[in-house]
């Protein structure tokens, strides 16, 4: 062996020896490490929830990937959670009491930046903000992110919210725990109830000998579920284990329904389910607490306060309702009845919903639709430095009286962003096909994990998947409730105001810095002075508003005010009618083409149809106002077509600025271009007489269809389309229709039907559902989104 | 003609082994402690420490190295030792760490070696290896968050 080889053997030997020593040390210390880790975890759990009793780990069967382990005690739960912070995973423990209130929090593992992300483990204001929350936190709304650590703060807040919601749902689902002695020690079971039905029994922990007790551990829980009772036969040869399981189940059931136990019941209120906790002392109702509800505080506040107290005072759920909050009162009463009967009482028949907006009468009325399109730069950039952008479209369906006062209003909004936006449920758009796709954060962990496919399929799927903020429902949580709850509160506020008054209200009572309603704590520039100048009555009014609506009416997230203003400007007169429902439906579809420009680059467009409808009590359309926005790549050579060149940074798009079918350059790839293009988007009605079709203009054709649809239900509109329109192109049939099967379809019609069609096609020949837009789906969506109103007009 | 030396890899194995042992003990007896991440900056600190120690051991000499074997041995070091200590969980993760850290170490060693004769000359030469090691560690901060 030469000298060089000998020298080489030395480091090899050192590496191997070190590895052996480390492996041996690891094996030797494994037991100690496990014991110390368990002790430390128990100490930490006890510290986070003092007085929480003895904790035991229970199996988590849900789908929230953030929850890794659950430890249940008498006083509540401690959840071990893992989430993705800015640098790496953050592991934490969250303690939540049985009411879903967050009582403790600690970070177990984090690798964020010193002075920035690490603040989520020790920033005093952040930690204080987390405490006593109930799944209702929203970063930079009701809790400030740690400075310079928005991503990690958001991740932690999402965990804390998820922990609280888990406990609230566990309570509502009726998961009970009981313990009793087996042969070798205590047996703990988890019993899942659905009303008064035992749906699952699980032995959570035991010390029994598997060879002896295995049969009982397997058979007894199944027998209890099958019998829906703890009174089942024991397994021969495992008497003590069988009785241990049976007694543990009884213990669990007694802890829920026995003396001093807390019962849980749920029933529908006006805005959603109401869950109550009823504490019994023998046969006496000792306490009733509303654990969760979605009611509007201004309307339901008295009922939420007075009904539980009245039930305790009467020791009965048969108490008088609170005037003005009938549905909330009945919801609480039925929830208590549900709890007292072990969750078994049949729910009350679903009542006809009360109008969500106060009844209105007007001799003269108008309906208008307004759309505002704005851009948002950010928030910030992704982890590769690529900016995040989004487009916000606010659309408002508003009914005005002759004086311009709002009688009914329905506002919704669509925001779609670049796919590197890391918020969940955000609709995405990757730019036009051929622009290279966009950075994608598919798992919303603030880390880009690829680029979206640069295909027409991706384009089609993304646009088809766009959901409005109302569609996003409970996923769109804000500081105070969800987006739709906040918007509902604003809508109620605006009833009876003119548009000028709405704008004056905004100017007087909202922050000049961020457009949000002022509060005592508003910290924008000049907010404190503006708030201080208000009278006590005005401050009280604002406190009332901000108890349910805190979002801005005009900021980078959308310009709601402009949409309402445009609705007023676009208003058209309504005839005499009674309306009990109001809806606004949006359909978004893509169009490939027409063709390509002279350089061979394809033309694309996006079509958004907005259907604004009023329905009567039978679901018949009593008024309808449809408008449409189409925006295309700038190489589309038609005049007056709104353009979109893709997101800044995607290189712009071929531009045919003088509409001569010859590309004469590329649009600027700047944020200014982006802003100007979106701000310039006008609807097909706005394009007015510039939008000429085969028969009249687009708005004249749409008016003719609208007139046709009044008096029909949405089903009837769809049936009309199926029967009288071409299967090939969706246009109303004519004698000369030449699509496949059109001649046969037309020939099968009666003379009266042909005459009706001739009448329709004399003014409306466009398709109701083709690549130019899906009007039918928008009308259907407006029906599906319908809210109750009470309008008597004319 | 100078003979090839592998003392640097011996030193690296010693440094990495020691650090792994400390991590193991901390994890065992202080389970609440948050252990540092095996990322580029932290690995650079370990590499720099080994290079500085080796520089003092080879004081005033510029050792001749076989860069291929140096790289192979450093990959072996960063692969096996953290894995044996339980710092990396699976064999795949361990190998990935070994390859990336081994490459990092080889690059740093090459740079260090290139200026070693200049470092050990001059008035304050005794401080130079430490300063260069610190500078390399700081330079690697910009790689935080990538690769690992």
């Amino acid at each position: 062996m030469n000298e060089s080889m000998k020298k080489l053997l030395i480091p090899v030997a050192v590496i191997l020896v070190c590895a052996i020593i480390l492996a041996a040390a690891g094996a030797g210390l494994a037991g100690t490490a496990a014991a110390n880790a368990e002790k430390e975890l128990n100490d930490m759990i006890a510290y986070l929830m003092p007085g929480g009793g003895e904790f035991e780990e229970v199996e988590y069967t849900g789908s929230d990937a953030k929850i890794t382990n659950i430890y249940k005690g008498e006083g509540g739960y401690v959840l071990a959670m893992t989430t993705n912070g800015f640098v790496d995973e953050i592991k934490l423990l969250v303690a939540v009491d049985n009411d879903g209130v967050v009582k403790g929090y600690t970070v177990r593992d984090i690798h964020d930046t010193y002075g920035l992300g690490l603040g989520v483990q020790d920033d005093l204001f952040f930690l204080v903000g987390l405490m006593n929350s109930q799944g209702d936190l929203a970063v930079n709304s009701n809790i400030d992110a740690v400075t310079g650590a928005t991503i990690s703060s958001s991740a932690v807040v999402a965990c804390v919210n998820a922990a609280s919601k888990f406990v609230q749902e566990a309570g509502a689902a009726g998961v009970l725990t009981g313990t009793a002695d087996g042969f070798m020690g205590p047996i703990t079971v988890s019993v899942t109830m659905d009303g008064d039905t035992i749906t699952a029994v699980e032995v959570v922990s035991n010390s029994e000998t598997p060879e002896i007790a295995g049969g009982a551990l397997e058979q007894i829980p199944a027998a209890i579920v099958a019998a829906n009772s703890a009174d089942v036969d024991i397994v021969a040869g495992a008497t003590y284990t069988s009785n241990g399981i049976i007694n543990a189940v009884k213990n669990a059931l007694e802890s829920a329904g026995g003396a001093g136990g807390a019962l849980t019941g749920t029933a529908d209120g006006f805005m959603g389910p109401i869950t109550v906790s009823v504490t019994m002392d023998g046969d006496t109702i000792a306490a009733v607490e509303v654990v969760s509800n979605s009611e509007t505080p201004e309307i339901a506040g008295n009922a939420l306060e007075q009904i539980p107290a009245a039930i305790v005072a009467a020791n009965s759920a048969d108490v008088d309702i609170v005037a003005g909050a009938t549905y909330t009162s009945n919801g609480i009463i039925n929830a208590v009845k549900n709890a007292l009967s072990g969750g078994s009482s049949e729910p009350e028949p679903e009542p006809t919903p009360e109008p969500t907006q106060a009844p209105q009468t007007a001799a003269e009325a108008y309906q208008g639709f307004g759309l505002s399109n704005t851009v948002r730069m950010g928030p910030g950039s992704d982890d590769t430095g690529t900016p995040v952008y989004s487009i916000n479209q606010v659309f408002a369906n508003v009914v005005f009286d002759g004086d311009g006062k709002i009688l009914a209003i329905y506002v919704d909004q669509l925001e779609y962003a670049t796919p590197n936006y890391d918020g969940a449920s955000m609709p995405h758009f990757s730019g036009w096909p051929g622009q290279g796709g966009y950075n994608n954060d598919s798992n919303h962990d603030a880390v880009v994990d690829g680029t979206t496919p640069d295909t027409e399929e991706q384009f089609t799927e993304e646009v088809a998947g766009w959901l409005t903020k109302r569609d996003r429902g409970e996923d769109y949580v804000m500081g105070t409730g969800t987006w739709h709850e906040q918007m509902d509160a604003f809508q109620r506020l605006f009833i009876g105001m003119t548009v000028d008054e709405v704008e004056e209200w905004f100017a007087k009572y909202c922050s000049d810095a961020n457009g949000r309603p002022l509060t005592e704590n508003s910290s924008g520039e000049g907010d404190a002075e503006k708030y201080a100048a208000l009278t006590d009555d005005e401050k009280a009014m604002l406190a009332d508003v901000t108890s349910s609506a805190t979002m801005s009416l005009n900021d980078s997230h959308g310009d709601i005010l402009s949409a309402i203003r445009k609705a007023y400007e676009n208003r058209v007169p309504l005839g005499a009618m009674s309306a009990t429902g109001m809806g606004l439906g949006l359909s978004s579809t893509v169009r490939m083409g027409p063709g390509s420009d002279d350089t061979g680059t394809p033309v694309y467009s996006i079509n958004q149809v907005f259907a604004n409808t009023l329905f009567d009590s039978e679901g018949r359309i009593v008024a309808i106002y449809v408008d449409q926005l189409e925006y295309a790549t700038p190489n589309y050579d038609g005049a007056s077509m709104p353009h979109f060149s893709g997101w800044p940074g995607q290189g712009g798009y071929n531009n045919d600025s003088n509409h001569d079918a010859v590309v004469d350059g590329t649009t600027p790839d700047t944020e200014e271009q982006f802003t100007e293009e979106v701000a310039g988007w006008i609807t097909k009605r706005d394009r007015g007489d510039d939008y000429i079709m085969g028969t009249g203009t687009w708005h004249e054709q749409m008016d003719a269809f609208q007139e046709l649809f009044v008096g029909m239900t949405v089903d009837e509109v769809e049936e009309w389309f199926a029967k009288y329109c071409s299967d090939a192109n969706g246009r109303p049939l004519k004698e000369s229709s030449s699509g496949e099967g059109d001649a046969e379809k037309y020939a099968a019609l009666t003379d009266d039907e042909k005459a009706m069609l001739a009448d329709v096609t004399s003014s409306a020949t466009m398709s109701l559902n083709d690549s130019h837009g899906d009007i039918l789906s928008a009308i259907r969506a407006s029906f599906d989104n319908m809210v109750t109103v009470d309008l008597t007009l004319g | 003609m100078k003979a090839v030396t592998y003392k640097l890899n011996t030193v690296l194995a010693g440094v990495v082994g020691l650090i792994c042992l400390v991590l193991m003990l901390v994890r065992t007896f202080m389970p609440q402690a948050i252990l540092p991440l095996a990322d580029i900056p932290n690995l650079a600190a370990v590499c720099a420490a080994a290079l500085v120690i080796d520089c003092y051991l080879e004081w005033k000499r510029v050792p001749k190295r076989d860069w291929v074997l140096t790289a192979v041995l450093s990959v072996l070091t960063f692969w096996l030792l953290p894995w044996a200590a339980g710092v990396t969980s699976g064999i795949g993760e361990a190998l990935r760490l070994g390859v990336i850290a081994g490459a990092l170490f080889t690059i740093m060693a090459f740079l260090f070696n290139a200026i070693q004769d200049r470092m050990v000359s001059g008035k304050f030469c005794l401080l130079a290896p430490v300063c260069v090691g610190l500078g390399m560690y700081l330079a690697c901060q910009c790689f935080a968050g990538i690769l690992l």
Side-chain angles (χ1 to χ4, degrees):
Chain A
M1 186 181 287
N2 63 30
E3 190 65 22
S4 182
M5 283 299 289
K6 284 181 187 170
K7 283 185 177 176
L8 179 60
L9 283 178
I10 295 172
V12 173
V14 170
I15 292 167
L16 293 177
V17 168
C18 285
I20 291 166
I21 291 172
L22 287 169
L29 291 171
T32 310
N36 285 349
E38 187 179 351
K39 180 179 180 305
E40 191 270 338
L41 176 65
N42 290 335
D43 290 347
M44 188 55 72
I45 288 172
Y47 174 76
L48 287 173
M49 184 160 280
E54 196 167 325
F55 282 80
E56 65 200 18
E57 186 169 0
V58 295
E59 188 185 355
Y60 177 57
T61 56
S63 59
D64 191 336
K66 294 191 287 297
I67 299 174
T68 55
N69 299 84
I70 298 169
Y71 305 94
K72 185 178 186 307
E74 289 170 15
Y77 294 77
V78 174
L79 289 90
M81 311 189 80
T82 300
T83 185
N84 289 308
F86 181 67
V87 173
D88 197 38
E89 284 186 340
I90 300 174
K91 294 181 177 171
L92 43 107
L93 291 175
V94 183
V96 185
D97 72 12
N98 285 325
D99 294 330
V101 180
V102 175
K103 291 297 181 188
Y105 154 87
T106 187
V107 173
R108 306 273 288 163
D109 197 16
I110 184 169
H111 300 284
D112 271 33
T113 316
Y114 288 101
L116 295 174
L118 278 188
V120 300
Q121 64 175 343
D122 56 14
D123 184 282
L124 180 63
F125 291 105
F126 184 68
L127 299 184
V128 168
L130 296 176
M131 290 304 107
N132 295 317
S133 62
Q134 287 184 281
D136 52 359
L137 294 176
V139 170
N140 294 335
S141 182
N142 58 357
I143 183 169
D144 288 332
V146 174
T147 305
T150 305
I151 291 171
S152 293
S153 301
S154 300
V156 166
V157 164
C159 275
V160 170
N161 282 342
S164 174
K165 282 180 179 163
F166 163 79
V167 175
Q168 290 173 31
E169 285 166 9
V175 179
L176 311 169
T177 304
T179 302
D181 282 340
F183 184 61
M184 299 289 286
I187 295 173
T188 301
V189 299
S190 142
V191 182
T192 306
M193 304 292 295
D194 180 9
D196 61 354
T197 305
I198 299 172
T199 57
V201 173
E202 188 187 352
V203 178
V204 176
S205 67
N206 74 92
S207 313
E208 309 298 280
T209 311
E211 305 86 82
I212 301 170
L217 290 167
E218 197 174 299
Q219 293 168 27
I220 296 291
I224 292 173
V225 172
N228 194 30
S229 164
D231 295 322
V232 295
D233 292 337
I234 61 171
V235 172
T239 307
Y240 288 94
T241 304
S242 300
N243 283 332
I245 298 168
I246 290 167
N247 290 335
V249 171
K250 287 180 176 175
N251 174 259
L253 297 174
E254 283 166 6
S255 72
L263 308 168
T264 302
T266 300
D268 282 339
F270 182 60
M271 299 290 285
I274 297 174
T275 301
V276 299
S277 157
V278 182
T279 306
M280 301 296 294
D281 182 6
D283 291 336
T284 306
I285 300 174
V288 173
E289 188 188 351
V290 178
V291 177
S292 67
N293 74 92
S294 314
E295 309 298 280
T296 311
E298 313 78 280
I299 299 170
N302 285 342
L304 291 167
E305 197 174 298
Q306 292 170 20
I307 296 288
I311 291 173
V312 172
N315 193 31
S316 163
D318 295 323
V319 295
D320 292 336
I321 61 170
V322 172
T326 307
Y327 291 93
T328 305
S329 301
N330 283 331
I332 300 169
I333 290 168
N334 289 334
V336 171
K337 287 178 177 175
N338 179 258
L340 293 175
S341 61
S344 63
S345 71
E346 289 296 318
E348 293 288 311
E350 194 168 323
T352 306
E354 286 174 348
T356 51
Q357 298 176 8
Q360 304 288 335
T361 304
E364 183 185 357
Y366 298 84
Q367 181 187 19
F369 164 72
L371 169 67
S372 79
N373 303 295
T374 52
V375 301
R376 182 181 177 200
M377 310 293 179
S381 303
D382 61 30
D383 63 313
T384 72
T386 304
V388 175
Y389 298 106
S390 71
I391 291 173
N392 282 279
Q393 299 181 287
V394 180
F395 21 101
N397 176 12
V398 192
V399 178
F400 300 94
D401 70 8
D403 299 325
K405 290 187 186 300
I406 296 171
L407 298 174
I409 178 168
Y410 184 104
V411 178
D412 201 350
Q413 181 173 347
L414 169 67
E415 179 177 14
Y416 54 91
T418 49
N420 56 348
Y421 187 100
D422 63 352
S425 91
M426 170 67 84
H428 287 157
F429 181 57
S430 301
W432 303 111
Q435 291 195 304
Y438 210 90
N439 278 3
N440 189 17
D441 176 9
S442 61
N443 55 357
H444 313 299
D445 62 351
V447 177
V448 169
D449 39 33
T451 305
T452 50
D454 184 18
T455 62
E456 292 186 342
E457 289 72 27
Q458 171 78 6
F459 171 50
T460 307
E461 280 176 21
E462 279 185 341
V463 174
W466 286 353
L467 295 177
T468 70
K469 292 191 173 184
R470 284 189 185 273
D471 291 335
R472 289 160 71 183
E474 306 307 317
D475 289 342
Y476 202 109
V477 179
M478 305 187 76
T480 308
T482 59
W483 189 91
H484 70 84
E485 288 167 347
Q486 293 219 14
M487 197 63 241
D488 287 346
F490 276 128
Q491 289 175 179
R492 283 192 295 273
L493 178 71
F494 294 155
I495 301 276
M497 291 186 188
T498 63
V499 175
D500 286 342
E501 286 167 348
V502 169
E503 290 171 346
E504 283 161 18
W505 189 93
F506 174 77
K508 185 168 185 181
Y509 299 118
C510 291
S511 164
D512 295 331
N514 57 32
R516 295 181 179 194
L518 291 168
T519 69
E520 205 171 9
N521 304 318
S522 293
S523 55
E525 193 182 339
D527 285 353
E529 296 75 10
K530 198 169 177 181
Y531 185 79
L534 300 176
T535 65
D536 286 346
D537 283 349
E538 289 172 327
K539 288 176 181 171
M541 177 276 292
L542 270 176
D544 193 31
V545 169
T546 53
S547 68
S548 48
T550 55
M551 69 180 180
S552 175
L553 290 165
N554 180 13
D555 67 359
S556 61
H557 295 81
D559 187 353
I560 295 167
L561 286 187
S562 289
I564 298 173
R565 162 66 66 188
K566 284 183 182 169
Y568 180 71
E569 290 167 355
N570 294 336
R571 71 195 187 283
V572 294
L574 291 173
M577 68 180 69
S578 280
T580 57
M582 177 183 207
L584 202 173
L586 165 67
S587 80
S588 302
T589 52
V590 301
R591 181 182 176 201
M592 311 293 177
S596 304
D597 60 30
D598 62 312
T599 72
T601 304
V603 175
Y604 298 107
S605 71
I606 292 173
N607 283 281
Q608 296 179 293
V609 180
F610 304 88
N612 305 270
T613 42
L614 294 174
F615 296 95
D616 67 12
S617 56
E618 294 174 351
R620 295 189 180 279
I621 296 169
V622 291
I624 180 167
Y625 184 103
V626 177
D627 203 349
Q628 181 172 347
L629 171 67
E630 178 176 16
Y631 43 97
T633 50
N635 56 348
Y636 186 101
D637 64 355
S640 90
M641 170 68 84
H643 288 156
F644 183 50
S645 300
W647 304 110
Q650 291 193 307
Y653 211 92
N654 279 1
N655 190 16
D656 176 8
S657 59
N658 54 357
H659 312 299
D660 61 353
V662 178
V663 169
D664 39 32
T666 306
T667 50
D669 185 17
T670 62
E671 292 187 343
E672 289 71 26
Q673 171 78 6
F674 171 49
T675 306
E676 280 175 23
E677 279 184 341
V678 175
W681 286 353
I682 54 174
T683 67
K684 291 192 173 181
R685 284 188 183 275
D686 291 335
R687 289 160 71 183
D689 294 336
D690 287 344
Y691 202 108
I692 298 168
M693 304 186 78
T695 308
T697 61
W698 188 91
H699 69 86
E700 286 167 347
Q701 293 218 13
M702 196 62 242
D703 287 346
F705 276 127
Q706 288 174 186
E707 201 176 318
L708 176 72
F709 295 154
V710 169
M712 293 186 188
T713 64
V714 175
D715 286 342
E716 286 168 350
V717 169
E718 290 170 347
E719 283 162 16
W720 188 92
F721 174 78
K723 186 168 186 181
Y724 299 119
C725 292
S726 163
D727 294 333
N729 57 32
R731 297 182 177 198
L733 290 168
K734 294 192 289 189
E735 199 171 359
S736 56
S737 294
S738 56
E740 192 182 340
D742 285 354
E744 296 77 9
K745 199 170 176 181
Y746 185 80
L749 299 177
T750 64
D751 288 345
D752 285 349
E753 288 171 329
K754 287 175 182 172
M756 177 274 293
L757 271 177
D759 191 34
V760 168
T761 53
S762 68
S763 48
T765 56
M766 69 179 179
S767 175
L768 290 165
N769 181 13
D770 67 357
S771 62
H772 294 81
D774 187 353
I775 294 167
L776 284 186
S777 291
I779 297 173
R780 166 62 65 186
S782 77
F783 181 75
D784 293 341
N785 296 337
M786 181 172 59
V787 296
T788 51
V789 294
D790 186 354
L791 296 175
T792 307
L793 310 175
Chain B
M1 187 177 159
K2 286 193 286 186
V4 172
T5 174
Y6 301 101
K7 191 186 283 180
L8 177 59
N9 286 99
T10 309
V11 172
L12 178 68
V15 170
V16 174
L18 195 64
I19 289 170
C20 287
L21 186 62
V22 170
L23 290 176
M24 184 190 292
L25 293 173
V26 169
R27 199 179 49 204
T28 302
F29 296 106
M30 298 171 63
Q32 76 280 10
I34 295 175
L35 299 179
L37 208 58
D39 58 5
I40 296 279
N42 289 337
L43 291 170
V46 175
C47 295
L51 288 167
V52 170
I53 292 168
D54 179 70
C55 185
Y56 284 118
L57 292 176
E58 297 277 1
W59 191 244
K60 298 281 183 183
R61 284 181 295 168
V62 181
K64 187 184 178 195
R65 304 196 193 283
D66 180 330
W67 291 110
V68 175
L69 285 174
T70 299
V72 171
L73 288 172
S74 56
V75 168
L76 201 64
T77 303
F78 282 108
W79 174 21
L80 285 182
L81 301 194
W83 182 52
V87 173
T88 47
S89 49
I91 193 77
E93 185 192 337
L95 184 57
R96 184 162 162 263
L97 175 71
V99 170
I100 292 170
L104 176 70
F105 177 76
T106 308
I107 293 166
M108 288 177 69
F110 187 79
L111 293 172
F112 211 89
N113 210 64
I115 57 171
Q116 201 158 340
D117 58 337
R118 306 296 296 272
M119 269 195 286
V120 295
S121 61
K123 200 173 178 183
F124 298 104
C125 65
L126 212 57
L127 287 173
V130 173
C131 294
V132 171
L134 189 63
M136 281 186 164
Y137 164 63
L138 292 175
C140 287
Q141 299 287 319
C142 63
F143 297 114
I146 65 168
L147 294 176
L148 286 172

